[in-house]
Amino acid sequence: MNFAAQFLYSRVLKNRSPRDYSREDEDYDPFWQRDDNKIKKQDAPALCDLHCCKDGPVRNGLIGQKPPSISPERLKDFGEEDYLNGDVKTWEMKIVNRNEELLRDALSRIPQSSSRTSLSSSNKLIRFEDISAAAFKIQCGVQKTPCMYSRLSKQYGMDIYLKKEFLQYTGSVKERGVLYLLTSLPQDQQRKGVIVASDSNFSMAVAYHASELRIPVFVIMSTSTSPARVKMCREYGAMVISYGTTAKDSQMHARRLAQENGYLYLEEEDSAVYLSGLGTVGLEVYEQVPKLDAVIFPAGGHCGLLAGSAAALKHLNPHISVIGVESESFPVLQQSLKAGHPIEDQACSNHDFYGDVSGLCFGSNSLQLTGKLVDKVVAVREEDIFISMLRLLEYERATVDADGAIGLAALVAGKLPELKGKRVAIVICSGNLELHLLQQCIARALTLDNRVCRFSLVLSDCPEDISKLLEILAREEARVLDIKQERTFVTSELFTVEVTCTVETRDKIHTAQLRNTLLERYPTAAWTER
């Protein structure tokens, strides 16, 4: 029995043999091709190789020693400006001895984009066995995150289970694909090292897991990168180099360093290895939540999680609905699916809040799998994402970013009414949001949710009138957050004061009651519209 079958037997099927399971699958889904005889013994990765050691502190569910520091002398004059010019040499990775029968129907019509050069994109094949192998190999290096029943279920009329991938060590699901990618590199390349150029969740995952695997890792960041991100990358064990004022400058510089020093330049793509690692989320959700009806994933341009997990879920049960959610402001995936190829000229925001939600579609492999296996892709407003972040913070004590909240936002916006009464899992994939942005998002969400409101009214300039106003607010159980008085620039009659109050209420109904009460007493009261 090969390692993939052993994995399926122990983690998913339990009461059924893998051989019987695969035959049944082929009966209802002929587009999945299986040939266990072609899986070589050398394909099976050693359990937790390069990642579990006898001694050392426990980190992220694994045991290992602190990686040695990286010597700056490995770099050759990395600060020279002329490195921004000249030819770029790239290093490619190819996994050999793999069965090449898989998802044939999903890989037929969309041409491969030529804009990405860091990893080989020729290996477009992804099998269920590849995802199983990835899950087996990375099980000691990433958390098996919980998929828990949510108190939000009653509010939205369905059984909601939240897959909390933001609990990974670096706060992102990207660790799964990155770890499998790094452990699949040839030994000589692992000795030379890898280099990335961004402040994304992908780079953070590379910094951490490369250090854990004792692979020299270098991260090139622009000078505009948040100091907190730079600090965190260094704490993970990477050598961080600040270069250039834009992300493009950093990327060009990283490619030049890779050429000069023999490093592998890594850029997030949709290679089969990376997608297989991300697809392990689908395996875990299927195992953790029985009788699933639907699974909701974040989408956008970086739809590798959606594509890889859909491949796993549709193989295990083709009746499970797989749904992707992206932002209305950046409908990259929907436009790419409509065009039949990745959209390269989509205007995207570089604001830190959006993250991968607004990224370009980075590959045709993910796009093809999405078009073939994903049942539905919906778009939500920015306001819905804010309220989703608020709901997760209140009900789940989960602090997430736009990528993490966008799945729930589809339910907040009422975009999936067909899921009422169903059992639904939502992947909360990321929780890396700067603190100042988090504060702004929650404040905005409270306003959108009609729980913080502001009004202005004109009173006579005497303590009794102010006191009466405060008594009304106290009687209506409204919490005063701020109160201001303006006397100098008042356009009404003399000896009056304009009072502006910001108050907090319980919900939309409470806000309406307060507004009616104040208008009865002060007909000229003006409410600030959100």
Side-chain angles (χ1 to χ4, degrees), residues 448-510:
L448 293 168
D449 205 28
N450 293 289
R451 291 164 56 182
V452 172
C453 53
R454 178 180 296 172
F455 61 88
S456 300
L457 47 83
V458 177
L459 303 174
S460 62
D461 193 6
C462 61
E464 290 81 2
D465 282 2
I466 295 292
S467 178
K468 288 179 182 179
L469 173 62
L470 295 177
E471 286 178 4
I472 293 174
L473 295 177
R475 187 170 61 249
E476 293 296 324
E477 299 179 346
R479 179 169 173 257
V480 178
L481 300 178
D482 186 34
I483 184 167
K484 296 179 180 178
Q485 302 180 53
E486 177 61 54
R487 293 178 174 84
T488 306
F489 297 97
V490 177
T491 57
S492 58
E493 57 189 67
L494 292 176
F495 309 113
T496 58
V497 57
E498 183 179 9
V499 179
T500 302
C501 285
T502 303
V503 298
E504 181 181 1
T505 58
R506 289 187 300 271
D507 50 32
K508 185 177 182 180
I509 297 176
H510 188 197

Side-chain angles (χ1 to χ4, degrees), residues 19-66:
R19 185 175 300 278
D20 291 340
Y21 187 88
S22 63
R23 275 201 296 269
E24 293 174 7
D25 287 345
E26 290 170 353
D27 289 340
Y28 64 68
D29 193 359
F31 118 97
W32 286 95
Q33 304 292 332
R34 297 171 58 94
D35 189 354
D36 290 343
N37 295 327
K38 293 185 180 181
I39 302 178
K40 305 290 187 181
K41 183 177 181 180
Q42 59 266 31
D43 287 347
L47 177 61
C48 308
D49 57 344
L50 296 176
H51 222 77
C52 292
C53 304
K54 273 190 171 183
D55 304 317
V58 176
R59 293 189 297 275
N60 195 26
L62 57 93
I63 302 176
Q65 298 177 349
K66 184 170 180 62

Side-chain angles (χ1 to χ4, degrees), residues 147-150 153 156-163 285 289-297 320-323 407-408 410-411 416-427:
C147 191
M148 303 173 62
Y149 183 79
S150 173
S153 300
Y156 295 105
M158 62 190 75
D159 290 335
I160 298 176
Y161 293 81
L162 300 180
K163 179 64 171 171
V285 171
V289 185
K291 299 180 181 178
L292 262 177
D293 294 305
V295 186
I296 301 175
F297 295 91
I320 295 177
S321 295
V322 179
I323 301 170
L408 179 61
L411 301 184
L416 301 171
E418 68 273 16
L419 298 183
K420 292 288 186 179
K422 301 293 184 65
R423 182 168 290 195
V424 181
I426 304 175
V427 179

Side-chain angles (χ1 to χ4, degrees), residues 78-96:
F78 54 79
E80 294 184 6
E81 291 289 338
D82 58 355
Y83 274 2
L84 292 176
N85 302 315
D87 297 331
V88 176
K89 180 180 179 181
T90 60
W91 300 83
E92 297 185 347
M93 179 195 72
K94 184 176 181 180
I95 306 301
V96 297

Side-chain angles (χ1 to χ4, degrees), residues 6-254:
Q6 291 174 349
F7 172 79
L8 289 176
Y9 183 81
S10 61
R11 289 176 60 99
V12 179
L13 303 180
K14 289 190 172 77
N15 297 324
R16 301 169 58 193
S17 71
R19 185 175 300 278
D20 291 340
Y21 187 88
S22 63
R23 275 201 296 269
E24 293 174 7
D25 287 345
E26 290 170 353
D27 289 340
Y28 64 68
D29 193 359
F31 118 97
W32 286 95
Q33 304 292 332
R34 297 171 58 94
D35 189 354
D36 290 343
N37 295 327
K38 293 185 180 181
I39 302 178
K40 305 290 187 181
K41 183 177 181 180
Q42 59 266 31
D43 287 347
L47 177 61
C48 308
D49 57 344
L50 296 176
H51 222 77
C52 292
C53 304
K54 273 190 171 183
D55 304 317
V58 176
R59 293 189 297 275
N60 195 26
L62 57 93
I63 302 176
Q65 298 177 349
K66 184 170 180 62
S69 59
I70 300 172
S71 173
E73 286 74 19
R74 295 276 327 262
L75 298 174
K76 299 179 180 179
D77 301 326
F78 54 79
E80 294 184 6
E81 291 289 338
D82 58 355
Y83 274 2
L84 292 176
N85 302 315
D87 297 331
V88 176
K89 180 180 179 181
T90 60
W91 300 83
E92 297 185 347
M93 179 195 72
K94 184 176 181 180
I95 306 301
V96 297
N97 293 329
R98 287 289 186 186
N99 189 336
E100 298 191 359
E101 290 184 304
L102 76 151
L103 301 185
R104 293 174 183 266
D105 295 340
L107 302 173
S108 57
R109 69 179 185 278
I110 302 179
Q112 173 66 36
S113 170
S114 60
S115 63
R116 305 283 178 167
T117 57
S118 60
L119 293 173
S120 175
S121 298
S122 59
N123 183 10
K124 297 181 181 180
L125 307 179
I126 174 175
R127 304 170 304 164
F128 179 73
E129 286 83 355
D130 296 327
I131 300 173
S132 301
F136 184 81
K137 194 168 186 178
I138 68 175
Q139 60 182 318
C140 286
V142 298
Q143 297 283 358
K144 182 179 179 180
T145 55
C147 191
M148 303 173 62
Y149 183 79
S150 173
R151 289 189 295 150
L152 291 164
S153 300
K154 294 181 180 180
Q155 186 169 344
Y156 295 105
M158 62 190 75
D159 290 335
I160 298 176
Y161 293 81
L162 300 180
K163 179 64 171 171
K164 300 184 177 182
E165 282 297 305
F166 66 92
L167 296 178
Q168 296 292 351
Y169 191 86
T170 64
S172 170
V173 70
K174 299 296 176 68
E175 287 192 29
R176 295 174 178 270
V178 165
L179 179 56
Y180 192 45
L181 183 63
L182 292 174
T183 54
S184 300
L185 293 177
Q187 290 293 327
D188 60 337
Q189 189 59 66
Q190 291 188 17
R191 287 191 296 270
K192 292 178 182 177
V194 296
I195 189 167
V196 291
S198 74
D199 61 348
S200 64
N201 290 333
F202 177 81
S203 294
M204 305 289 277
V206 171
Y208 171 68
H209 283 290
S211 298
E212 291 294 298
L213 294 169
R214 294 168 178 78
I215 299 174
V217 54
F218 305 87
V219 181
I220 314 299
M221 293 182 172
S222 66
T223 55
S224 59
T225 302
S226 165
R229 289 254 171 171
V230 174
K231 179 176 180 291
M232 192 166 294
C233 249
R234 285 176 175 154
E235 289 177 349
Y236 289 153
M239 172 174 284
V240 181
I241 301 168
S242 295
Y243 187 92
T245 57
T246 65
K248 186 176 180 180
D249 292 341
S250 301
Q251 291 166 3
M252 294 178 65
H253 190 52

